[in-house]
Every structure is written in structure tokens, then in C-alpha cells.
Amino acid sequence: MEYNQNNQYGQASAQQGGYPYFQPQPQQNQYVQPQPYPAYQQPAPYLDPNIPVGQPVGQPQYGNYPQQPVYQSGLVPNGPVYTAAPVLRSAEGMRFPVQIQCPYCNQQGVTRIENRVGDGTICASILVLIFCWPLFWLPCCLEDCKDRVHLCIHCQKCVGKKRYEVC
């Protein structure tokens, strides 16, 4: 079997009955200058064909009920709905700061919380003392094992308490 002298891969040439071989084409300057990206266009908003524009979004109307009002802007309102937080007179049993109207000074504000060692903390310490005595002091250091006392931010009086319960 003869090898073609021009064959740089040492394969039999196609003229002698061998398999055709891949002959690389001479490389030309094939660099293509990148095209700038087209300007981004924001897609059109999705409009549900089942919801008429300008109508309030809600439950479908069945029967002979009065028609709901049409909004003048022609748009379906969407956005955050703000509701007022209720103002409490006492923070009894609450775990986190709450908006209250102080029964002592009649001022409104968010309570300030102090964590204090209470009966539940002492019970937890006794249980830990029984089962793992070197760590009996741990419940007195953990904020979650203490009573939460709500104080008025204006007059500093106690307006509620959340006791820690062991179980």
C-alpha cells in the first residue's frame, strides 16, 4: 500500500483505494466582528382576556345583582394594600413589640421589651440541673427562656407580660 507524499497524516490516499481522508483547508481570516446587541425592548404586559380592563378584579357576578362600578382610569388597580394595625390597650401575652395605647399615660407607641428571669426560667434550670448538672445556668442566659416584659416607651411602666413556659 502506497502512501501519498502530500498526505501529512500518513493515511492511504483516496486514489489507491483507501478511505478518503480529511484534508484541512488553508485557514483564512475567518474572524467575524461581533455585532452590537439590539436595544432591549420590554415585552408587553400580559392581559388576561377573561378580565375586562377597567373592571374591578373580584368574584364573577351571577344572577341579577347590581353591576360593580367601572374605574375611570381604565386600568385594573393592583398594588399594595395598606391596613392600619390595631392599637391595643395591653400587650399581655404578646411575644413581640406591639402598638399600644398606654393605660397609664394614654400615649400611643410601640412597646419596648425587657427579658427577665421568671418562674419558668427557674423551673427550666432545675430540670437541666437534674439531667445535666454542669449546664444548669444555661436557661438564665438564654433570651428565649426568660419572661418578656412590655414597657411603655413614654412612661416606662409595665403594660404587659409574656411568661416563659417550660413545656
Side-chain angles (χ1 to χ4, degrees), residues 77-152:
N78 60 353
V81 177
Y82 298 103
T83 58
V87 178
L88 305 174
R89 292 287 293 173
S90 172
E92 196 66 38
M94 301 291 179
R95 184 178 169 123
F96 299 105
V98 292
Q99 178 88 19
I100 64 154
Q101 181 173 1
C102 179
Y104 303 106
C105 65
N106 288 326
Q107 301 233 358
Q108 285 189 6
V110 178
T111 59
R112 182 174 61 90
I113 292 184
E114 279 188 7
N115 295 316
R116 297 181 182 166
V117 174
D119 297 337
T121 310
I122 301 299
C123 288
S125 293
I126 292 171
L127 285 174
V128 174
L129 178 69
I130 292 170
F131 293 110
C132 185
W133 68 269
L135 299 176
F136 75 93
W137 51 270
L138 198 57
C140 295
C141 296
L142 297 175
E143 298 295 319
D144 289 338
C145 293
K146 296 180 180 178
D147 293 347
R148 294 177 187 256
V149 178
H150 291 265
L151 302 173
C152 174

Side-chain angles (χ1 to χ4, degrees), residues 44-48 51-58 68-79:
Y46 172 74
L47 295 175
D48 189 349
I51 299 175
V53 176
Q55 295 292 325
V57 178
Q68 292 182 353
V70 175
Y71 293 108
Q72 297 299 326
S73 67
L75 299 175
V76 177
N78 60 353

